[in-house]
Amino acid sequence: MAERSFKAEIERLKLGEGETFHGEGILAVTKALLESGVAYVGGYQGSPISHLMDVFSDASELMSDLGVHFESSASEATAAAMLAASVNYPLRGAVAWKSVVGTNVASDALSNIASGGVTGGTLIILGEDYGEGSSIMQERTHAFAMKSQMWLLDPRPSLPVIVDMVQKGFELSEASNTPVMLELRVRACHVTGSFTARDNRRPPLTVAEAAAKPSRDVDRIVLPPANFLHEVEKIEKRWPSGVDFIRRNTLNEHFGPEEDEIGIIVQGGIFNSLNRALELLDLSDAYGKASLPIYVLNVTYPLIPEEVRDFCARKRAVLVVEEGQPEFIEHELNTLIRRAGLDTMVCGKDFLPRAGEYTADAIRDGVAEFLRGHAPSRAPKPKPAPPPALTPATVPPRPAGFCTGCPERPIFSAMKLVQKEIGELHVSADIGCHLFSILPPFHIGNTTMGYGLGTAGASAFKPEGKRAVAIMGDGGFWHNGLTSGIGNAVFNQDDNLTIIVDNGYSAATGGQDIPSSRAKPPHRKTNNPIERAVRGVGITWAQTRTRTYDVAGMRDAIRDALTSRENGPKVLIAQSECQLNRQRRLKPQVAHALKSGQRVVRERFGVDPDTCTGDHSCIRLSGCPSLSIRANPDPLRQDPVAHVENSCVGCGVCGEVSHAAILCPSFYKAQIISNPNRGDRIRQRIRQWVIGALQRRDERMLAARAF
C-alpha cells in the first residue's frame, strides 16, 4: 500500500495530440514514456523517485493495454538487468531507481550494458538524491556516467523540457547505441506545470513479439575479444554519434544576451535555483529573462566542444555553477577551453561552496562574489549583516525519529532493557526506518553499510562471551539480505543474532508491497513468510514475534536469543504493521463509519499527573513524538510531569515500556466512543453515578475531619 495513490491522476496519461497536460514532474515523465513508444518499464522505489514507481504501478493497466510490460523489480540490479531486452532488439526500455545507492547496486549490469551497447533506446531514470534533505552519502551520478561512458541528461526543471529530454533521450540512445541516464532531483520530480500532449504510442515491437523471434549478436556480449573492441567502438563510433546528436538537436539551452564579457554555465537541474539567485540580484526575472548569458547544460556528459567554444569566445570569465564535488564539469571545461585556444578564465568552486546543496542563497552569494571579481561595475553593493536570530538558545535540536505509534520503537526499547542486563552490544544497523535507532533516545547502532547488509556487516565481529546483533528491515531482507546476509551467516556459521523488522511493507520507501506483505495486490504473489525463507537457507534458531508492542515479550525474546546455548546464526522476526500505512488504511474506513452513524471506538493513552513522579524514563526509553511534558499540578513538586498529546494513536508503547521497565503506574488507557449505542450510554450513566457517589462520600469525610 503505497503512501500515495495516483489513481485519479492516471486519467491524464490518456490525453491525446494537442491537449494540455497539467501535473507533477513524475506524471509528466510517465506520459513522455508512453508517447515515446516504450516497450517495457521497471525499477525499484527510493526517494525522490518512489512516487514514479507508484505511478507506474497505478498505470499498469493502461500500460498493459498499450502493450507495455511493467515490472516492480526486486532490486536496482534486477531492474538494470531488464535492459538486456534492448541489447539485440529495437525495444525501447526505461528503468528507475534512487541514485547514487541504487546505481551502486545496479553497477554490474550497467557496466555490462554500457560496454556492449544497445540496439533499442534505453533510459535510466535516476532520483538524484544530493543535498541537505538526503538520507544517503553525498555522491553524484556524474562519476558513474564518466566511468562507463553513458550519457547523462540533467533537464531543467520545466515540464516541457523534462518531457522533451525523455523523448530525445531514447533517440540519443539509439543514435549512439549507448544507454542514457536521466537524473531528476526532488524539485524536478514534484515541479508542477503544463505541456502540450501527444498521442500515446504502442511500441512497434513488444517484448512478447521480440521473444517469439530470438536474436543474438555475439559482439554485444562482454567476452574476449569483443570486450576489447567495445572500448574502441565507444570512442570511435558511439561518442562522436552522441555528440553530433546532442549538437544537432540543441538539447542544451541558452538564456540572456548573446554577447557579454562574462557568462554563466549551469547544470540544467539547478537552473531554477540559479535564476532565483539572479532575481535576488536584479539580474533576471521569474521567466528567465537574464541580463547575463547563461549556457544551460541539459546534457552534462558528454560536453559539446563546439558549443563550449562558441559560448566562451570573447568572454573574459565564466562562472560554472556545478553542485557537488569533485568539480567534474569545471575540470573538463578548462580542458576544452584551452584546446580551443581561448584565454577565458573558468571560475567555479573558488566562488561557490565546494560541497553541499546549492540553494538560491548559496548561488546568489557566489554570483555576487564572481561579479565583484570580474565585473565590479555590475556587482551588488554588500548588504549589512542581518540582526541576530531571535530563536532562544535553549531550544534543543530535534533529531529525526520514529513516527507516532511506530512498531519499531518498542524493539529498541526492549534492546535497551536487555543491554541493562547483559551489557553493551555491537549492533550492525541497516538502511530503513530502524536506522533512526542510532539517534537519541536509543543510541543503538554502530555501523550501517547498505540496504540489506546489516547481517553481513556483523559477520566480522566475534565478541568473547557475547553475540553481535544485526538489524534488518523486511524491505532490505528481500532486496539483498537473504543471500548476502542470512545465507552468508549460515554458510560461515556466524554466531550472531539478526532482528528482522517485518512491518508488512517497504515502509521507508513509501509503503510499497514486498513478498512478505499481508496485502493481496493483483498480479503479484505476497504472503511469503520471512521465517520460512530463512529456514529454507539453513537457519535452525528462528522465532517470529507477531506483536512488537509487547515490550516485555520482545525483551525476553532478544535475551533468549543472545543467551541461547545453541551456536550458529539466529533470526528473530519482529512483526507489526507500519503505523503510517495502518492509519492510511483505517482512516477512510473510520471516516465512512462516522459519517454513516456507526459506533466507532478509538483508544487513547494518558498520564495521571497526580501519580507521575516526573522521572521521564518513559520518554527516554520510548521517544514517542506524542509523549511530552507539562507543568506539575502539585505546587509542592517542581519536576514537570509526562503528558500524552492528541496525536496519540493508541499503540500503547508508552505504558508497555513503563511496565516492562517497572517504572510507574501513571499510564492509563481510555476509550473514546463516537456514535455510542444504548448500552454505552447506560454504562456511562452508571459510571458517572458511582464516581459521583464516591466523590460525595470523600467530601463528607473531609468535612467531618475538618470539624
Short mmCIF file of all heavy atoms in Angstrom, two decimals, residues 152 246 362 438 440 448 466 469 550 573 649 674 689 694 702:
data_model
loop_
_atom_site.label_atom_id
_atom_site.label_comp_id
_atom_site.label_asym_id
_atom_site.label_seq_id
_atom_site.Cartn_x
_atom_site.Cartn_y
_atom_site.Cartn_z
N LEU A 152 24.64 11.45 -19.78
CA LEU A 152 23.92 11.89 -18.59
C LEU A 152 23.12 13.15 -18.91
O LEU A 152 23.69 14.20 -19.22
CB LEU A 152 24.89 12.16 -17.44
CG LEU A 152 24.28 12.62 -16.12
CD1 LEU A 152 23.35 11.56 -15.55
CD2 LEU A 152 25.37 12.95 -15.11
N ILE A 246 23.45 15.44 -29.94
CA ILE A 246 23.18 16.48 -28.94
C ILE A 246 23.28 17.86 -29.57
O ILE A 246 22.44 18.74 -29.34
CB ILE A 246 24.15 16.34 -27.75
CG1 ILE A 246 23.90 15.02 -27.01
CG2 ILE A 246 24.00 17.52 -26.78
CD1 ILE A 246 25.03 14.62 -26.08
N ALA A 362 22.95 30.35 -1.56
CA ALA A 362 24.35 30.00 -1.78
C ALA A 362 24.81 30.46 -3.17
O ALA A 362 25.92 31.00 -3.32
CB ALA A 362 24.55 28.50 -1.62
N ILE A 438 19.78 4.81 15.82
CA ILE A 438 21.13 5.30 16.08
C ILE A 438 21.09 6.63 16.83
O ILE A 438 21.98 6.95 17.61
CB ILE A 438 21.90 5.45 14.75
CG1 ILE A 438 22.21 4.06 14.18
CG2 ILE A 438 23.18 6.25 14.91
CD1 ILE A 438 22.92 4.08 12.85
N PRO A 440 19.20 9.77 19.32
CA PRO A 440 18.51 9.78 20.62
C PRO A 440 17.03 9.44 20.43
O PRO A 440 16.46 9.73 19.38
CB PRO A 440 18.67 11.23 21.09
CG PRO A 440 19.85 11.75 20.34
CD PRO A 440 19.83 11.06 19.02
N THR A 448 26.44 1.16 9.55
CA THR A 448 25.46 0.80 8.52
C THR A 448 26.19 0.80 7.18
O THR A 448 26.87 1.75 6.85
CB THR A 448 24.26 1.76 8.49
OG1 THR A 448 23.40 1.40 7.40
CG2 THR A 448 24.69 3.20 8.31
N LYS A 466 29.86 -12.84 24.10
CA LYS A 466 28.66 -12.12 23.65
C LYS A 466 28.38 -12.45 22.21
O LYS A 466 29.16 -13.13 21.53
CB LYS A 466 28.86 -10.60 23.79
CG LYS A 466 28.78 -10.06 25.20
CD LYS A 466 28.84 -8.54 25.16
CE LYS A 466 28.77 -7.94 26.55
NZ LYS A 466 28.83 -6.45 26.51
N VAL A 469 24.80 -8.20 17.19
CA VAL A 469 23.39 -8.09 16.78
C VAL A 469 23.32 -7.32 15.47
O VAL A 469 24.01 -6.30 15.30
CB VAL A 469 22.56 -7.37 17.86
CG1 VAL A 469 21.11 -7.21 17.40
CG2 VAL A 469 22.61 -8.13 19.17
N ASP A 550 4.45 -5.52 22.45
CA ASP A 550 4.65 -6.24 23.70
C ASP A 550 6.13 -6.12 24.09
O ASP A 550 6.95 -6.97 23.75
CB ASP A 550 4.25 -7.72 23.52
CG ASP A 550 4.47 -8.54 24.77
OD1 ASP A 550 4.81 -7.96 25.83
OD2 ASP A 550 4.33 -9.78 24.69
N ILE A 573 12.21 -12.52 14.03
CA ILE A 573 11.37 -11.70 13.16
C ILE A 573 10.36 -10.96 14.03
O ILE A 573 9.58 -11.60 14.75
CB ILE A 573 10.66 -12.54 12.10
CG1 ILE A 573 11.69 -13.23 11.19
CG2 ILE A 573 9.74 -11.69 11.24
CD1 ILE A 573 11.65 -14.71 11.25
N VAL A 649 -1.91 7.59 18.82
CA VAL A 649 -2.70 6.66 18.00
C VAL A 649 -3.10 5.42 18.79
O VAL A 649 -3.66 4.48 18.24
CB VAL A 649 -1.94 6.26 16.73
CG1 VAL A 649 -1.71 7.47 15.84
CG2 VAL A 649 -0.63 5.57 17.07
N SER A 674 -17.43 7.18 19.58
CA SER A 674 -18.27 8.05 18.74
C SER A 674 -19.51 7.27 18.33
O SER A 674 -19.46 6.06 18.11
CB SER A 674 -17.49 8.48 17.50
OG SER A 674 -16.32 9.17 17.85
N TRP A 689 -22.65 7.96 38.02
CA TRP A 689 -23.33 7.89 39.32
C TRP A 689 -22.38 7.34 40.38
O TRP A 689 -22.30 7.88 41.49
CB TRP A 689 -24.57 6.98 39.20
CG TRP A 689 -25.36 6.94 40.50
CD1 TRP A 689 -26.31 7.80 40.93
CD2 TRP A 689 -25.19 5.95 41.53
NE1 TRP A 689 -26.77 7.45 42.15
CE2 TRP A 689 -26.10 6.30 42.56
CE3 TRP A 689 -24.39 4.83 41.67
CZ2 TRP A 689 -26.21 5.56 43.73
CZ3 TRP A 689 -24.51 4.09 42.84
CH2 TRP A 689 -25.40 4.44 43.86
N LEU A 694 -18.91 8.32 45.07
CA LEU A 694 -17.64 8.22 45.78
C LEU A 694 -17.06 9.60 46.09
O LEU A 694 -16.49 9.83 47.17
CB LEU A 694 -16.64 7.41 44.95
CG LEU A 694 -16.97 5.92 44.77
CD1 LEU A 694 -15.99 5.28 43.80
CD2 LEU A 694 -16.93 5.19 46.11
N LEU A 702 -14.02 14.43 54.46
CA LEU A 702 -13.10 15.55 54.65
C LEU A 702 -13.72 16.65 55.50
O LEU A 702 -13.06 17.25 56.35
CB LEU A 702 -12.67 16.11 53.29
CG LEU A 702 -11.74 15.23 52.45
CD1 LEU A 702 -11.58 15.83 51.05
CD2 LEU A 702 -10.38 15.11 53.13
#
